[in-house]
Amino acid sequence: MKLKEWLAPIVYLASNWISLIGVVLVTTSGILWLFLLPSTLRGHSPDPYIGILQFMVLPAVFFLGLGLIPAGVWLFKKRNKGKLPDVFPPLDFSNPRFRRLLAFLGATTLANFIIGGQLTYKAVSYMESVNFCGQTCHVVMKPEFTAYQNSPHSRVECVSCHIGPGANWFVKSKISGSWQVISVTLKLYPRPIPTPIENLRPARETCEVCHWPQKFGGDRIRVFNNFSDDEKSKWTKSVLLMHIGGGNGYEGIHGAHMGPGVKVRYAHSDKQRQKIPWVEYTGKDGQTFTFKADGYKADGPGNLDVRTMDCMDCHNRPSHTYELAERGVNRALAAGDLDRDLPYVRKVALEILKAKYATTEDSERDIPAKFKAYYEKNYPQVWASRKAAVESSARNVLAVFSRSVFPEMNVQWGAYPVNLGHTDFDGCFRCHDERPSTKGNRTIPQDCDTCHKTLAQDEESPKVLADLGLDKPRAVGH
Ligand code: HEC
Ligand code: HEC
Ligand code: HEC
Ligand code: HEC
Ligand code: HEC
């Protein structure tokens, strides 16, 4: 009698299809969930689809199955008026019902393992790839993906930056990743994708996995190429000695904001963090100073959003660098992609680039055509004798456009401000505008030697480059 009561549930289970389906659902979802676990525990499953699968779909299926089991038993009992079927003892192999149950459970479990293992293994490794991130949400992330491919981080996977290590990140990425997939599917996403991002924003620790503070420091020479809009597109260069600084000290740009114990907090009045009326600086000696922009009356940040400065407040475009048209054209000219022997090439290119194009298709058709038409009409001789140069330059004007403008996502020139520098956007000057501190006699300085020594500014052949032997054309390609 005891035994019979014990085994009754199994008999009930084996005797009705509803409960059996429940069992299948519970085991399938359970096993799939387990298969997904190792990749997600590594903190490395970037993929929102896996997130949805593991944290929404599978649990739903699991609990549905769990519900079906008692429901089936209940229905079965009701139909049989509480009586057990007369197949007993069920543990007897001679009982066909029991044999069927065992075979059924065995086969489904085996199938689960084989199919589940194969599928999840393939899916996880595919979904972790950069291709997946960049291409699955093709239209939506095309701007980020394109800019990324042209950045120094083009070999760093999206997940290395956007998903940090640890449980905290793991949960964050699942929730916001799942939401992203839903919003892409339902086309709820805003265009352009707003920046700065709230979720999945890389943390300082993320960057420091590769760029540990001890590693960078000192000064670094940088050459900026500029061209004018005259007939010859005159080439000038600025040479700056950037005071990178850092290490673990207080010198230079990094040391000033990120040295041990140093903390800079700021309040911003717009979403893109371009307007910063209030700054608080805590130095290495623990003293705190407040700096307020011209016209800002309140003492504290009031109800403005306050942030503690980290790498991304300056390096907000480490891998999605969209250029302004001028900078893109300068780069193409310096690289020889646009032919400087074509009269007014810079001016013409810029005019064409800054016109509006409603779709990528329009830009691909119209930009090269307009460029060619200009020379055909205004410089027939150039067009006749240098057709190949005009045509290849025309293609490269389009390339400048395609790197930074994405009509479908409403990403136009300058949609994503760059905070590093001060010539294209306010950047450093968002704070470095000589604003005074409320106590003590100091400012956030704009003195031109604060951040870089200007070794040459817009010179045709800076002496410093000649001294360093950097003035000769590169051997490659010449
Ligand atoms: C070197 C680190 C790094 C890598 C690698 C990286 N990102 Fe980003 N990404 C960032 C930072 C930093 C931001 C801007 C954060 C901010 O200002 O809030 C950002 C912003 C974004 C945004 C928000 C829109 C925008 O442009 O501000 C999207 C979408 C995005 N990244 C997608 C990707 C994709 C897709 C990949 C891989 C193809 C990728 N990211 C690779 C660092 C990275
Ligand atoms: C997985 C490793 C990795 C991570 C994570 C990473 N980077 Fe990088 N970063 C690189 C590599 C590799 C380069 C290229 C170095 C080179 O070209 O010499 C680079 C280059 C850079 C440069 C120099 C670009 C230049 O013009 O020379 C900056 C600035 C930079 N990273 C900032 C960041 C920031 C900010 C983050 C965090 C959002 C970050 N990186 C995250 C590996 C990484
Ligand atoms: C106050 C703004 C600011 C902050 C904060 C900041 N950086 Fe920088 N960083 C700069 C500037 C400016 C440069 C020089 C850019 C140039 O050469 O044009 C630079 C250069 C770099 C370089 C290239 C160094 C080299 O020698 O070429 C790396 C790598 C880098 N930063 C990483 C980081 C990381 C990681 C963090 C966070 C721990 C960080 N930065 C925080 C402004 C900042
Ligand atoms: C959020 C505000 C803010 C931004 C943005 C900012 N800084 Fe600063 N910076 C400060 C504050 C505050 C100080 C400390 C001023 C003081 O010592 O009184 C400072 C100090 C410095 C110093 C040291 C100055 C000295 O005389 O010792 C350098 C160098 C510097 N910043 C470079 C930069 C560069 C380069 C950028 C842009 C890439 C930048 N800063 C962006 C707030 C900012
Ligand atoms: C708070 C720091 C800071 C101060 C102060 C500062 N600069 Fe700069 N400047 C930078 C940074 C950072 C860059 C490099 C931007 C980049 O990497 O693209 C830069 C770039 C430049 C460039 C080259 C830009 C280009 O695209 O051709 C020039 C020229 C320049 N600065 C001139 C000046 C002059 C003139 C002053 C004085 C009014 C000044 N800077 C003050 C941080 C500063």
Side-chain angles (χ1 to χ4, degrees), residues 146-189:
T146 308
Y148 157 90
Q149 286 175 310
N150 296 312
S151 85
H153 291 111
S154 57
R155 298 270 169 97
V156 180
E157 291 184 11
C158 317
V159 283
S160 301
C161 282
H162 284 290
I163 300 187
N168 184 13
W169 268 97
F170 170 64
V171 174
K172 258 207 291 198
S173 73
K174 286 308 147 226
I175 294 169
S176 97
S178 305
W179 167 245
Q180 273 155 24
V181 171
I182 293 169
S183 72
V184 166
T185 317
L186 303 179
K187 295 206 182 331
L188 296 176
Y189 50 86

Side-chain angles (χ1 to χ4, degrees), residues 335-365:
D337 293 341
L338 299 188
D339 193 326
R340 277 210 306 139
D341 292 335
L342 300 176
Y344 291 106
V345 61
R346 182 179 197 263
K347 188 161 177 278
V348 174
L350 277 176
E351 269 165 22
I352 295 173
L353 285 171
K354 286 182 176 176
K356 276 262 175 194
Y357 302 92
T359 63
T360 302
E361 245 173 33
D362 287 359
S363 71
E364 285 167 353
R365 188 188 54 232

Side-chain angles (χ1 to χ4, degrees), residues 275-301:
K275 303 212 158 36
I276 302 186
W278 179 91
V279 180
E280 183 192 79
Y281 166 82
T282 307
K284 57 180 168 183
D285 52 9
Q287 278 210 64
T288 295
F289 296 89
T290 304
F291 303 86
K292 296 196 288 186
D294 221 13
Y296 185 73
K297 298 276 184 304
D299 284 334

Side-chain angles (χ1 to χ4, degrees), residues 53 67 78 111 144 146 170 189 197 203 248 304 315 320 401 472:
L53 188 65
K78 211 174 137 189
E144 282 75 20
T146 308
F170 170 64
Y189 50 86
I197 42 178
N248 254 345
L304 299 176
H315 297 283
H320 317 293
F401 184 89
K472 302 186 187 61

Side-chain angles (χ1 to χ4, degrees), residues 195-196 265-279 291-294 296 301 304-307 313 417 419 425-433 435:
T195 196
R265 296 201 313 142
Y266 70 88
H268 55 97
S269 55
D270 65 334
K271 257 204 113 109
Q272 289 205 330
R273 300 178 192 148
Q274 295 301 295
K275 303 212 158 36
I276 302 186
W278 179 91
V279 180
F291 303 86
K292 296 196 288 186
D294 221 13
Y296 185 73
L304 299 176
D305 280 340
V306 178
R307 299 188 47 80
D313 289 300
N419 291 338
F425 300 92
D426 286 347
C428 312
F429 288 6
R430 289 174 300 159
C431 299
H432 285 264
D433 54 3
R435 64 180 69 178

Side-chain angles (χ1 to χ4, degrees), residues 375-439:
Y375 288 100
E376 202 174 354
K377 179 157 165 272
N378 299 295
Y379 294 93
Q381 251 175 334
V382 173
W383 174 246
S385 61
R386 308 219 46 225
K387 204 166 165 188
V390 175
E391 279 179 343
S392 95
S393 294
R395 276 194 302 277
N396 287 320
V397 175
L398 174 62
V400 171
F401 184 89
S402 314
R403 272 202 299 265
S404 291
V405 180
F406 303 85
E408 284 77 10
M409 282 303 292
N410 205 14
V411 173
Q412 301 292 342
W413 299 109
Y416 291 99
V418 182
N419 291 338
L420 202 74
H422 52 82
T423 33
D424 296 348
F425 300 92
D426 286 347
C428 312
F429 288 6
R430 289 174 300 159
C431 299
H432 285 264
D433 54 3
E434 291 292 341
R435 64 180 69 178
S437 70
T438 50
K439 64 170 191 218

